[in-house]
Amino acid sequence: MSRNDSRDPSIRRRHLVLTSFVALMTILSLFSSARLALAQDDESTPEQSQEVAPGTGTVRINVYECPLEYRGDLYAEDCGATGMSDVSVRLTDLSVQEVIDQQNGADIEAGFDDFATTQTDGGPGVAEFTQLNPNQYTVIIDLLGATYNFASYCSDSDTGSENPVSPNDENNGQFTLEDGQNVVCDWYIIPDPDGTVQREIETGVTATGTSEPTLEAEPTEEIAEPTEEQETIAPTEDSETFEPTAESTGELGGAADGGAITIDMRSCPDDFVDPRSANFETFAAECAEGTDGVTLRLTDSATQEFVEQVTTTESNNTFGGLVDGTFTLVSDVPGDAASEYLYCVADGGDRYQKEFDENGATTFFDMTGEQIECSWFVVPEDSRGEETGGSLTIHLAACPADYLGSNYFEDCHDEGIGNSPFELEGPAGSTSGTTSIPESGGPGLLSFTALEADSYTLSGGPPGDFGTVFLLCSDQQTNEQITAELDSTQASLDIAEGQDILCDWYYLPEDASGEPTAEPTTEPESRAEILVTLFECEPRADGYAGLGFGDLDDACTETLNDVPFRLGDVGAPPLTANTGVSGDGAVRFFDLLSGDYTVKPTLPSELSNVALYCSIDGSNSVYQKSLQNGETTFVDVDGEAIACSWFVSGEAEQPAGPNGSITVREFVCEGDKGTITDWDQECTAGASGSGYTLTSGDGAASVEGTPDTSGVVVFDGLANDFYTLEQNDGTWCRATAEYVDSSSRVIVKDDGNTDVFLFHCGDVTSLPSTGTGADSPSGGDDLSGSTTFLLMAAVLLVPAFIMVFWTRIREVKQPVATESDDQNQPTVTENGMFRMRFR
């Protein structure tokens, strides 16, 4: 008798149950393996995207602005009263180095990444981040690092103990957040437009202009009566400094500890050199005579109150007791009889040249107690030179010994050579000059002006017996290279009527053997330019919401001059120039090396941005640039000529009721997200086919809208509020907005319009299967090999499932994994729509 024949029925039943259980475990194991394989194949569901429960920690960033070129260390006392609003703040769990690598194009994903814009209500500019898990976090303050210096301090807001941040002197810094900890960070922003303070930090030497004449004045609040010795001080041949004589004072505002502007006015001789090619050293050396009888008028721009003083040869003029504000200073020197040149020093810093407007006035902006000392030079009409004709400007620089490279601009341009004579010979005879190096460094400079159209010979620089020369000349208006024949240290070139030519003269010294160390073999890399023309649109109640370039170009024809534009380049000092310097409403930044450039205007308070459109190399194809915090970035500029129309408008009288608006602008991108470097240029305006829902901050009201064929839809009649924008179907790969809060809500303020730029990459038009991003790479209804194997295994084991049910295995429950809300992708809401995340 076999054992099977004698087995009890209950035993057989238990055996069957055990067999079925093993089969079930096999299927579950295969199912788990298949899910793991699919997860590894699908980039949209990485391991780090699994849901993480919200934390309880918070981080508050307070942003303050310090006085211009602030050198102290009492930040809370000296800077704590001035908060900065509309500053972009990023909080991420990437390290500082990873952030830098990411900004340089590295493909680095953050587990946590959020953005906020500071808001101020009479105190600091505040950005807050909540529900944070314990981790190391990096703060990034989104300002041009070349224009500002930084200081920061973080602490536990509950205990007051320091929470170290590293580094604490940059726009970014990393610190550790413990579980449930509340951290507050104070970030102090120090404007440093000329890089003066930064150079002091790097060299350890305070800039005092030691290589050139300085104005020496007693830094006391009260002006002492002149002593006999002071009254007899005069420049001598051995002296390189101006010594101010007694000072006559006049007050405007009566602030006991207010600011002061001291003017030392000097007249230049009749045989003075052309002042347009002179620098401060030349003025100081040759214009020693005091000026008598000139009336100076200082006007408070806020109240239009003014005070006048008359210059004398015995004393300087001081306007003291100045309240905080902006002041305009003008003299009664007739513009047709003389020209004026002004150099100033604020609070003992570096000397800088101030400009005069078309009315002969110069403006001191936003004074807050500064002690400013200025040298004012009056040049007689006969010495000014003709304003017509062409010009030739020389940049003289030395390359390193044994230099064998060809990138002259980067390797040599900043190694200036001063006190080097040049002679220019032309139809009117010969004229000579000597190069000088400006305070900010760079090449030796020399200009010849008022040149008639003809052929010229330029000779000079270091002797040719000890080195060779590489010469590159270009037209400053067109940036086109011109022909200049070079023979040793003599160049021949033609100058056209009114043409302005710039020549980079690079000196290559010989080595010890007396042989030339380098022969130029290749042309230097091409230079780029960015030309911006500012147009002021008539105020309209709708703020020109939704209009394209053609409409704006027709409606906004008035140009706007004297508006400062700043060009920022990572690792280099910023450039600043006013519109109108390159034509009506225009400013041109030229001779630009390859790189990324950020452009931002300082608009008058009554104006706001409407739109920005650009073209490249004279093309008729115009594309729109996105704006964030009033600035835009040009990516990978490399030799292009970029021309832009920047439209702004004032506030119109608004009818009763809410009048703000949000304009959605869609762009279609052919490439994948990871291949796009310049979103504005590589993507084309167009409709994705999706509709959108806009919901008010309290969730009480919502409205639907669908973009037109150009990808534009306007939600108007909006109150000033925070709005949630949701995409009804499809997905997107990038979203930006000019005004957005830390929760990615679009902000409407001042009854104005806010543009939202949405970019759609490749063929991404259907809802993803999860709330974390686009569909899986397999797409459509295709099945992967892992999925096919799983189905085959399930079919083969169906009988086992039947036996399980027969043996009263009634139900098997398995948990369903929940996908995370990826910070970098849309969030699916309860109604199936997408919530934007802005970056």
Side-chain angles (χ1 to χ4, degrees):
M1 184 183 300
S2 68
R3 287 180 294 175
N4 288 337
D5 293 338
S6 63
R7 180 170 294 177
D8 186 85
S10 63
I11 297 177
R12 291 199 303 273
R13 192 161 47 248
R14 286 195 299 272
H15 180 72
L16 181 58
V17 171
L18 180 60
T19 302
S20 300
F21 179 75
V22 171
L24 177 60
M25 292 300 102
T26 301
I27 289 176
L28 292 178
S29 175
L30 290 171
F31 180 71
S32 176
S33 299
R35 278 182 57 84
L36 178 59
L38 287 172
Q40 291 173 340
D41 292 336
D42 188 353
E43 294 181 358
S44 66
T45 56
E47 182 180 353
Q48 61 265 30
S49 70
Q50 299 303 310
E51 183 174 10
V52 178
T56 57
T58 65
V59 172
R60 170 185 169 123
I61 308 297
N62 298 327
V63 179
Y64 302 90
E65 183 174 19
C66 294
L68 178 68
E69 297 182 354
Y70 177 71
R71 292 173 171 80
D73 56 7
L74 301 177
Y75 297 103
E77 178 178 338
D78 297 338
C79 315
T82 307
M84 295 183 68
S85 61
D86 298 323
V87 176
S88 293
V89 180
R90 176 185 178 189
L91 186 70
T92 178
D93 60 3
L94 298 178
S95 67
V96 172
Q97 186 58 53
E98 287 174 328
V99 169
I100 295 173
D101 293 342
Q102 187 187 63
Q103 293 172 342
N104 290 332
D107 186 14
I108 301 176
E109 293 291 337
F112 175 87
D113 217 348
D114 204 358
F115 297 77
T117 301
T118 59
Q119 307 291 328
T120 182
D121 186 15
V126 176
E128 291 188 295
F129 303 89
T130 60
Q131 295 185 323
L132 301 176
N133 286 289
N135 207 340
Q136 280 195 327
Y137 291 96
T138 297
V139 175
I140 300 100
I141 306 297
D142 189 10
L143 288 170
L144 293 177
T147 308
Y148 299 88
N149 296 314
F150 304 85
S152 59
Y153 179 85
C154 295
S155 63
D156 187 306
S157 61
D158 298 321
T159 65
S161 58
E162 181 181 2
N163 194 343
V165 57
S166 178
N168 62 2
D169 57 357
E170 297 290 344
N171 69 316
N172 51 44
Q174 188 174 35
F175 62 89
T176 300
L177 182 72
E178 304 294 343
D179 189 18
Q181 188 179 21
N182 300 310
V183 169
V184 59
C185 293
D186 293 334
W187 233 275
Y188 299 98
I189 315 299
I190 305 165
D192 189 18
D194 297 324
T196 303
V197 179
Q198 183 60 38
R199 287 194 296 272
E200 293 175 5
I201 295 172
E202 293 173 353
T203 62
V205 178
T206 300
T208 58
T210 56
S211 63
E212 50 186 51
T214 60
L215 285 171
E216 296 181 0
E218 293 297 329
T220 57
E221 295 180 0
E222 297 182 1
I223 305 300
E225 290 297 325
T227 64
E228 181 177 350
E229 180 181 0
Q230 287 175 317
E231 292 178 350
T232 59
I233 290 177
T236 65
E237 294 182 357
D238 297 330
S239 174
E240 293 187 351
T241 62
F242 278 133
E243 295 289 347
T245 56
E247 299 176 348
S248 61
T249 64
E251 294 188 354
L252 185 66
D257 57 350
I261 301 173
T262 298
I263 303 298
D264 178 22
M265 182 168 280
R266 303 279 172 167
S267 295
C268 298
D270 292 338
D271 59 352
F272 183 68
V273 298
D274 188 338
R276 289 174 295 168
S277 63
N279 53 25
F280 178 79
E281 291 94 330
T282 306
F283 282 115
E286 299 193 25
C287 306
E289 182 181 350
T291 305
D292 194 20
V294 174
T295 299
L296 297 173
R297 172 181 286 192
L298 185 72
T299 303
D300 187 328
S301 298
T303 65
Q304 293 304 306
E305 295 179 354
F306 65 88
V307 63
E308 292 183 344
Q309 296 185 32
V310 178
T311 64
T312 68
T313 56
E314 291 80 20
S315 63
N316 295 337
N317 295 81
T318 296
F319 298 89
L322 301 180
V323 297
D324 293 351
T326 296
F327 297 86
T328 299
L329 184 62
V330 65
S331 77
D332 65 353
V333 174
D336 58 351
S339 57
E340 298 166 288
Y341 296 83
L342 184 62
Y343 294 84
C344 296
V345 174
D347 290 336
D350 278 356
R351 181 173 288 104
Y352 59 97
Q353 184 173 3
K354 286 190 63 61
E355 299 294 333
F356 294 92
D357 63 21
E358 64 275 10
N359 298 316
T362 189
T363 302
F364 297 86
F365 292 96
D366 299 327
M367 287 190 62
T368 54
E370 292 92 342
Q371 307 297 305
I372 300 176
E373 300 169 347
C374 300
S375 298
W376 191 308
F377 301 99
V378 179
V379 183
E381 191 268 342
D382 290 341
S383 301
R384 291 187 297 173
E386 295 292 333
E387 296 296 330
T388 59
S391 68
L392 174 62
T393 300
I394 302 166
H395 288 182
L396 178 61
C399 292
D402 302 320
Y403 180 70
L404 297 175
S406 60
N407 196 351
Y408 298 96
F409 186 87
E410 286 193 357
D411 297 339
C412 315
H413 193 260
D414 287 340
E415 298 300 323
I417 303 176
N419 300 316
S420 185
F422 277 86
E423 182 177 5
L424 183 68
E425 186 171 356
S430 63
T431 181
S432 60
T434 304
T435 60
S436 60
I437 301 175
E439 291 181 4
S440 57
L445 304 180
L446 175 62
S447 294
F448 298 97
T449 58
L451 305 177
E452 61 181 278
D454 212 314
S455 297
Y456 289 85
T457 299
L458 176 68
S459 57
D465 295 341
F466 302 100
T468 58
V469 173
F470 174 70
L471 182 65
L472 176 67
C473 297
S474 61
D475 187 307
Q476 295 197 60
Q477 298 299 320
T478 65
N479 207 32
E480 295 179 356
Q481 185 173 342
I482 67 169
T483 301
E485 299 294 337
L486 181 66
D487 181 10
S488 183
T489 58
Q490 179 174 292
S492 300
L493 69 161
D494 295 330
I495 299 178
E497 181 64 35
Q499 187 177 27
D500 297 313
I501 293 178
L502 169 66
C503 287
D504 287 343
W505 187 293
Y506 297 104
Y507 180 70
L508 288 73
E510 295 179 350
D511 61 15
S513 66
E515 296 296 328
T517 60
E519 288 292 338
T521 57
T522 60
E523 295 294 333
E525 62 182 289
S526 59
R527 311 283 176 80
E529 71 170 58
I530 299 174
L531 172 68
V532 178
T533 305
L534 186 63
F535 294 93
E536 184 176 4
C537 308
E538 290 291 334
R540 283 185 15 169
D542 65 356
Y544 294 88
L547 295 190
F549 174 73
D551 298 319
L552 294 173
D553 193 44
D554 292 338
C556 310
T557 58
E558 295 295 325
T559 56
L560 189 60
N561 291 327
D562 299 321
V563 174
F565 268 75
R566 182 183 63 200
L567 181 90
D569 174 20
V570 175
L575 301 174
T576 302
N578 291 356
T579 55
V581 71
S582 304
D584 288 342
V587 58
R588 185 170 72 98
F589 300 100
F590 59 95
D591 211 22
L592 305 177
L593 295 175
S594 301
D596 296 349
Y597 292 91
T598 299
V599 178
K600 182 175 185 178
T602 302
L603 296 177
S605 58
E606 68 273 12
L607 297 179
S608 60
N609 290 309
V610 173
L612 172 62
Y613 288 89
C614 300
S615 65
I616 297 178
D617 292 335
S619 170
N620 291 326
S621 177
V622 178
Y623 66 98
Q624 186 172 6
K625 291 284 294 177
S626 58
L627 296 170
Q628 292 179 277
N629 293 321
E631 66 185 28
T632 192
T633 299
F634 297 90
V635 180
D636 290 341
V637 175
D638 187 12
E640 301 95 341
I642 302 172
C644 300
S645 295
W646 198 303
F647 299 98
V648 298
S649 176
E651 296 182 10
E653 292 186 8
Q654 298 288 348
N659 299 288
S661 61
I662 291 175
T663 299
V664 172
R665 296 182 180 273
E666 292 188 314
F667 295 83
V668 179
C669 314
E670 292 185 1
D672 294 331
K673 176 180 178 181
T675 65
I676 298 173
T677 57
D678 190 333
W679 293 87
D680 297 330
Q681 185 180 341
E682 296 179 42
C683 303
T684 305
S688 68
S690 172
Y692 295 88
T693 299
L694 189 72
T695 306
S696 60
D698 58 7
S702 63
V703 62
E704 300 275 344
T706 300
D708 59 20
T709 55
S710 299
V712 177
V713 60
V714 179
F715 298 94
D716 53 15
L718 303 179
N720 296 329
D721 199 355
F722 301 84
Y723 292 86
T724 298
L725 183 65
E726 298 173 327
Q727 185 171 338
N728 298 345
D729 50 49
T731 188
W732 54 276
C733 51
R734 186 173 187 262
T736 65
E738 186 168 6
Y739 304 116
V740 64
D741 74 349
S742 60
S743 299
S744 295
R745 295 180 299 177
V746 184
I747 302 172
V748 173
K749 61 180 184 178
D750 301 329
D751 286 328
N753 176 72
T754 299
D755 277 350
V756 178
F757 298 83
L758 300 179
F759 299 86
H760 301 266
C761 296
D763 186 19
V764 186
T765 57
S766 60
L767 282 170
S769 56
T770 71
T772 60
D775 296 327
S776 63
S778 59
D781 295 326
D782 296 339
L783 296 174
S784 68
S786 299
T787 305
T788 304
F789 177 77
L790 175 62
L791 293 177
M792 292 176 61
V795 170
L796 293 175
L797 294 175
V798 164
F801 274 109
I802 297 174
M803 295 300 293
V804 169
F805 283 109
W806 283 352
T807 55
R808 301 178 183 179
I809 303 290
R810 297 181 178 179
E811 183 178 11
V812 176
K813 297 182 180 180
Q814 66 181 57
V816 179
T818 302
E819 304 293 346
S820 69
D821 178 11
D822 189 341
Q823 295 285 347
N824 293 323
Q825 296 290 350
T827 303
V828 175
T829 60
E830 294 180 356
N831 58 6
M833 295 184 291
F834 286 93
R835 177 166 297 157
M836 300 295 107
R837 297 294 301 179
F838 294 90
R839 303 184 290 166

